[in-house]
Amino acid sequence: MVKPTSSPPIIGKLHTFPTHEVKQVRERLVGWYDDNKRQLPWRTIAATEPDRNIRAYGVWVSEIMLQQTQVNTVKSYFEKWMCKWPTVSDLAKATLEEVNQMWAGLGYYSRARRLHEGAIKIVQELDGEFPDDRDSLMKQLPGVGRYSGSAVASIALGHCVGVVDGNVNRVLARVKGVGADISNQSTSEHFWTLADQLVDPDRPGDFNQAMMELGATVCTPKTPNCESCPLRPHCVAFHRNSAQKRSSIATHFKQSDKKASQESTNIPDLECLPTCDFCLRKEDWDESLGVLNYPRKAQKTKSREEVCAVVIMNCENGKMFLVQRPKAGLLANLWEFPSIPLVAGDKTSRKEEERVVREDLKEKYGLTSTQTDSITYSADVVHIFSHIHQTYRVYQVSLADSKGLTWPDRYQGSQWMDKTEFLASATSTAMKKVLKAADPSEQNDKGKKKKAESRDSPLETKKQKTISQFFSASGCTNWDEV
Ligand code: SF4
Ligand SMILES: [Zn+2]
């Protein structure tokens, strides 16, 4: 009989922690963390700062920064941030422009905006006091969901709540042999239940950080180091893989190998219910993957193709024309070169495309025919957003001055910037790539590459005199990400 899809899943005991195992896992994990944890600035604040508001603020900032960015990148941003705005009230006094500038290079700018909004709310509506528990943090602070709320509540405020992020998902899926799709709501809920059950009431913050640290440094996505893992005695994935390797399992859920049996004293039985929805079935086990059979990956949705022309308007005084994106949506509030949407997959010739760009510049930006006559194509730049495969066709146009220039209503405003100002402004990584691709000296330095970037399309790159002269005039050659 087929189960109705709304029925709760059947979860066998293999995928839960009995009480005695909870205690062992806590001891092993926290002990391992004490010996192996990385020294990170937000951990120092959480461990040593006596003021609860500063602890909560530091952990909140770090957790939001870490949401889509690697630890090593976050470290320097976090230190600069805390130096400039050491308390939540300091952040509340900053302008959004300043906050975006500080965030430049981290991407996903909505995170910065929400931190700023949250700080203002704490100061104006909550008397400068951080909410005290997970639910209040989630309710009161924009951008704080179950994960961030739990992290701040446990790490900074000592509340006994578990956390589940991508690292914890992976560790739990392997340790408890969960073969159900991790993007399913029921799988996610099960992991939250396990995390809340496991968290050590004596050291909730350290326990949660230990789980995440283990996933980040030992139980990694592609190269888990099971030999040095404190949870190996409990790990279903490890024992199943060992048993499979020795080809001593009679059936998928029957462990008959004595050696494996001795090793897995904490896993008395790999047997599960025949009807269990969380087991990885025998036919789905890929021997070549070993423990990487867990977690089961969700099928990726195909990203959308988008193409637009971006036009770098160079003025003779060495400045470029930038427009500010709308307050909401993708890359909200960031500065960019004027962009003109094109049709993805269109086989229009370059000549026809240039005509479309010229017309748009005349109609929406007030350029004259003489000005648009100087337009030249530079390169294609591809940038991958989480759900968009974006191609920028980079054009340049030279202007004697900025007289008569306008911009479409969808933008908030415009500004002329030189290269240094542009790099210091709140702009996206994609726009920096665009400017970089338009610089012929960059192309020459890199062995006269035909591609503007490694992921760019193979269209030929033309040299652009104007922008080259402008760059050398500015004296700035540092193209590193800000
Ligand atoms: S034993 Fe291996 S697979 Fe299991 S939790 Fe440790 S590192 Fe991950
Ligand atoms: Zn099962």
Side-chain angles (χ1 to χ4, degrees):
M1 198 176 89
V2 178
K3 231 171 1 119
T5 48
S6 56
S7 304
I10 298 170
I11 304 174
K13 273 201 301 189
L14 182 67
H15 317 293
T16 60
F17 288 99
T19 311
H20 72 276
E21 196 180 12
V22 168
K23 199 163 169 282
Q24 290 170 345
V25 167
R26 283 176 186 161
E27 284 171 7
R28 286 201 161 103
L29 202 53
V30 174
W32 170 85
Y33 182 68
D34 286 340
D35 295 339
N36 295 281
K37 67 174 174 248
R38 292 170 291 179
Q39 294 300 329
L40 299 170
W42 47 91
R43 286 185 178 160
T44 307
I45 291 177
T48 60
E49 173 57 51
D51 184 322
R52 72 176 281 286
N53 275 318
I54 295 179
R55 281 202 312 273
Y57 171 62
V59 175
W60 175 47
V61 171
S62 71
E63 288 299 338
I64 301 297
M65 284 184 172
L66 287 164
Q67 276 173 8
Q68 268 117 352
T69 313
Q70 301 278 330
V71 168
N72 280 341
T73 309
V74 166
K75 273 200 281 188
S76 60
Y77 277 89
F78 179 82
E79 279 165 346
K80 273 189 272 173
W81 181 289
M82 294 301 286
C83 199
K84 189 165 170 98
W85 302 304
T87 66
V88 73
S89 57
D90 293 321
L91 176 59
K93 284 180 207 145
T95 65
L96 182 57
E97 193 67 17
E98 287 172 318
V99 170
N100 277 336
Q101 276 181 22
M102 176 67 89
W103 201 268
L106 277 177
Y108 298 96
Y109 281 78
S110 55
R111 294 181 292 165
R113 194 183 66 240
R114 291 195 187 117
L115 276 174
H116 188 233
E117 285 169 10
I120 292 170
K121 183 166 185 185
I122 289 169
V123 169
Q124 292 183 353
E125 298 177 28
L126 306 174
D127 292 333
E129 291 290 316
F130 257 82
D132 194 40
D133 55 47
R134 166 162 71 181
D135 290 347
S136 314
L137 285 158
M138 287 166 62
K139 204 167 142 197
Q140 302 278 6
L141 299 184
V144 171
R146 197 171 179 182
Y147 165 74
S148 314
S150 305
V152 175
S154 61
I155 298 168
L157 306 173
H159 287 261
C160 188
V161 288
V163 298
V164 178
D165 69 348
N167 286 320
V168 176
N169 264 334
R170 183 169 58 258
V171 171
L172 288 176
R174 288 174 180 167
V175 170
K176 283 287 113 190
V178 175
D181 188 334
I182 53 166
S183 66
N184 285 348
Q185 174 79 8
S186 56
T187 319
S188 168
E189 279 307 320
H190 185 62
F191 287 149
W192 276 101
T193 305
L194 293 182
D196 280 344
Q197 181 196 4
L198 280 178
V199 64
D200 187 338
D202 295 330
R203 296 177 62 186
D206 284 345
F207 179 88
N208 286 338
Q209 290 185 91
M211 279 290 272
M212 294 188 277
E213 187 86 339
L214 189 77
T217 61
V218 176
C219 192
T220 58
K222 292 194 178 136
T223 52
N225 183 1
C226 299
E227 294 310 311
S228 60
C229 178
L231 297 189
R232 193 177 64 172
H234 304 269
C235 183
V236 169
F238 177 79
H239 288 283
R240 182 172 179 177
N241 185 44
S242 304
Q244 295 271 171
K245 269 195 200 157
R246 286 191 289 269
S247 303
S248 58
I249 294 184
T251 66
H252 179 58
F253 300 112
K254 276 279 180 199
Q255 183 177 348
S256 59
D257 181 78
K258 277 188 184 159
K259 214 170 162 192
S261 213
Q262 284 159 7
E263 259 188 26
S264 59
T265 49
N266 289 289
I267 304 175
D269 202 346
L270 285 175
E271 192 169 333
C272 201
L273 298 171
T275 51
C276 175
D277 288 319
F278 272 28
C279 270
L280 185 61
R281 302 286 153 198
K282 186 178 181 179
E283 56 275 20
D284 293 329
W285 175 268
D286 180 342
E287 199 150 356
S288 69
L289 292 177
V291 298
L292 305 192
N293 275 287
Y294 304 99
R296 282 282 298 284
K297 291 189 180 65
Q299 283 196 339
K300 276 191 180 168
T301 49
K302 201 168 177 285
S303 57
R304 195 168 76 233
E305 290 274 343
E306 288 195 4
V307 182
C308 70
V310 280
V311 185
I312 302 175
M313 297 188 200
N314 300 295
C315 198
E316 277 185 355
N317 63 4
K319 301 254 181 181
M320 301 173 292
F321 186 66
L322 278 301
V323 282
Q324 190 176 27
R325 290 180 64 89
K327 286 185 177 156
L330 183 70
L331 307 176
N333 294 312
L334 300 192
W335 291 94
E336 68 176 19
F337 299 110
S339 69
I340 299 159
L342 301 171
V343 181
D346 197 2
K347 301 280 186 242
T348 306
S349 66
R350 173 80 59 224
K351 211 170 157 191
E352 173 57 15
E353 186 180 291
E354 284 185 14
R355 191 194 63 73
V356 170
V357 174
R358 276 196 189 94
E359 287 309 309
D360 203 278
L361 291 176
K362 282 193 260 184
E363 192 188 322
K364 307 213 174 97
Y365 294 88
L367 267 65
T368 62
S369 298
T370 317
Q371 287 171 319
T372 59
D373 278 350
S374 72
I375 194 165
T376 49
Y377 164 80
S378 289
D380 271 18
V381 170
V382 173
H383 190 78
I384 313 289
F385 295 98
S386 54
H387 55 295
I388 301 171
H389 183 279
Q390 176 75 55
T391 302
Y392 296 102
R393 299 257 157 78
V394 185
Y395 285 88
Q396 295 189 67
V397 67
S398 305
L399 306 177
D401 55 48
S402 57
K403 276 190 204 131
L405 229 59
T406 178
W407 60 90
D409 288 346
R410 67 176 186 277
Y411 292 120
Q412 295 185 62
S414 71
Q415 206 174 318
W416 289 89
M417 298 182 195
D418 63 23
K419 183 188 164 192
T420 309
E421 290 163 340
F422 170 77
L423 289 176
S425 72
T427 188
S428 64
T429 303
M431 281 302 119
K432 287 177 188 160
K433 283 164 76 174
V434 162
L435 187 54
K436 191 173 179 178
D439 178 9
S441 65
E442 272 290 318
Q443 311 313 312
N444 292 340
D445 287 350
K446 292 181 178 174
K448 296 181 180 173
K449 284 195 303 180
K450 282 189 180 170
K451 289 179 182 178
E453 291 281 351
S454 57
R455 289 186 294 176
D456 290 353
S457 81
L459 283 166
E460 237 180 60
T461 305
K462 285 186 190 174
K463 291 191 175 182
Q464 295 302 311
K465 226 176 177 181
T466 311
I467 196 108
S468 173
Q469 287 164 343
F470 157 60
F471 284 165
S472 46
S474 76
C476 177
T477 53
N478 178 14
W479 277 109
D480 290 344
E481 288 289 315
V482 178

